[in-house]
Amino acid sequence: IVCALGAFAGVLSVINDVKSKVGPEVDAYRLKRDVAPYTPLSAGQFEKIEMPERWLSKNAVTSLREIQGKIAVTTLKSGSLLQSDMIVDQPALQTGEQELAIMIDAATGVAGKITPGSKVNVYATFEGARDSDPDQSRLIVENARVIDVGELTSLKPDEDDRRREPTEAVPITFALEPIDAQRLTYAESFADEVRLALVAPGSDSDIPATNRTYELAKDK
């Protein structure tokens, strides 16, 4: 019995000694798969593990809040621990893009669900040029990237506005290719109404050319 108690005390001593050397554990994040350079980061690309704090480098990422709005600065390999020097802020504009802001009616936009980083499809409705021409709804820009959402603003209608009712609108800033910037500017100037359709996070819209224009008379 005395020997057993002695052995048990020895084991406890070894365990306590190991714990004192290892120290407390903290969360770290390991890549599930390779991530290409300049790819936006999301929580689904990482798995949480626990490691002794003393074994982690000072720039190890210990909270996924740190990846919000970030992109990979180089190829991130599967199984690697995520570190802050592997990621950088996602640029507001990419090569060839232009920044364009328009006011979107709060009642016709996706109220409260559009945030920086969202992708949206922009639809506009136009009256026919002549009385005999049909009204149309058109997909103006597909997968437009939102980079900023402003504060809700009250707008007074113009004197020739047929609605003659005050409206509330939100300034939304997009990063667009030049041709898409022209399309959106045209729609804001001449369309009866501009609406945004939120695209599911992590995916792109892919609407066939035959479905980009809608006329009620042609609907079957």
Side-chain angles (χ1 to χ4, degrees):
I1 293 174
V2 171
C3 290
L5 291 174
F8 182 69
V11 170
L12 288 180
S13 176
V14 171
I15 292 174
N16 290 331
D17 183 57
V18 170
K19 285 185 176 180
S20 65
K21 290 181 179 179
V22 171
E25 292 189 335
V26 295
D27 293 336
Y29 291 89
R30 183 167 56 199
L31 284 137
K32 294 180 180 179
R33 54 186 179 275
D34 291 353
V35 176
Y38 312 115
T39 301
L41 300 178
S42 64
Q45 296 166 326
F46 305 94
E47 61 178 347
K48 184 170 72 172
I49 60 174
E50 291 187 346
M51 291 187 63
E53 185 176 14
R54 65 187 302 166
W55 290 359
L56 286 179
S57 62
K58 293 182 179 180
N59 56 349
V61 172
T62 57
S63 171
L64 286 183
R65 289 193 297 269
E66 296 181 44
I67 71 169
Q68 293 179 359
K70 305 285 187 179
I71 61 173
V73 71
T74 186
T75 300
L76 305 185
K77 294 294 186 180
S78 175
S80 300
L81 288 180
L82 182 63
Q83 302 183 67
S84 59
D85 57 357
M86 296 177 174
I87 58 180
V88 294
D89 290 334
Q90 183 171 351
L93 292 177
Q94 298 175 0
T95 303
E97 289 183 332
Q98 298 179 356
E99 185 175 312
L100 179 67
I102 65 171
M103 300 296 291
I104 295 294
D105 191 323
T108 59
V110 185
K113 295 184 179 180
I114 294 178
T115 58
S118 297
K119 287 186 178 180
V120 298
N121 289 340
V122 183
Y123 292 89
T125 55
F126 297 90
E127 286 187 354
R130 297 183 298 270
D131 291 341
S132 58
D133 294 337
D135 298 338
Q136 287 187 338
S137 171
R138 297 182 182 180
L139 173 60
I140 298 297
V141 180
E142 190 174 18
N143 298 314
R145 183 165 60 92
V146 177
I147 59 176
D148 189 56
V149 178
E151 298 294 330
L152 190 67
T153 304
S154 295
L155 301 177
K156 293 183 178 180
D158 297 332
E159 292 183 359
D160 58 349
D161 194 330
R162 292 172 299 173
R163 292 177 295 180
R164 302 302 299 271
E165 294 180 358
T167 59
E168 290 187 324
V170 177
I172 297 184
T173 305
F174 300 93
L176 300 170
E177 298 292 333
I179 185 61
D180 286 336
Q182 292 177 353
R183 290 169 177 152
L184 188 57
T185 301
Y186 182 90
E188 185 191 30
S189 300
F190 299 106
D192 292 335
E193 199 168 79
V194 177
R195 290 177 178 260
L196 306 181
L198 186 62
V199 177
S203 64
D204 285 336
S205 169
D206 186 15
I207 299 176
T210 54
N211 293 338
R212 292 170 181 258
T213 302
Y214 175 84
E215 296 177 9
L216 182 61
K218 294 182 180 180
D219 199 353
K220 297 181 181 181

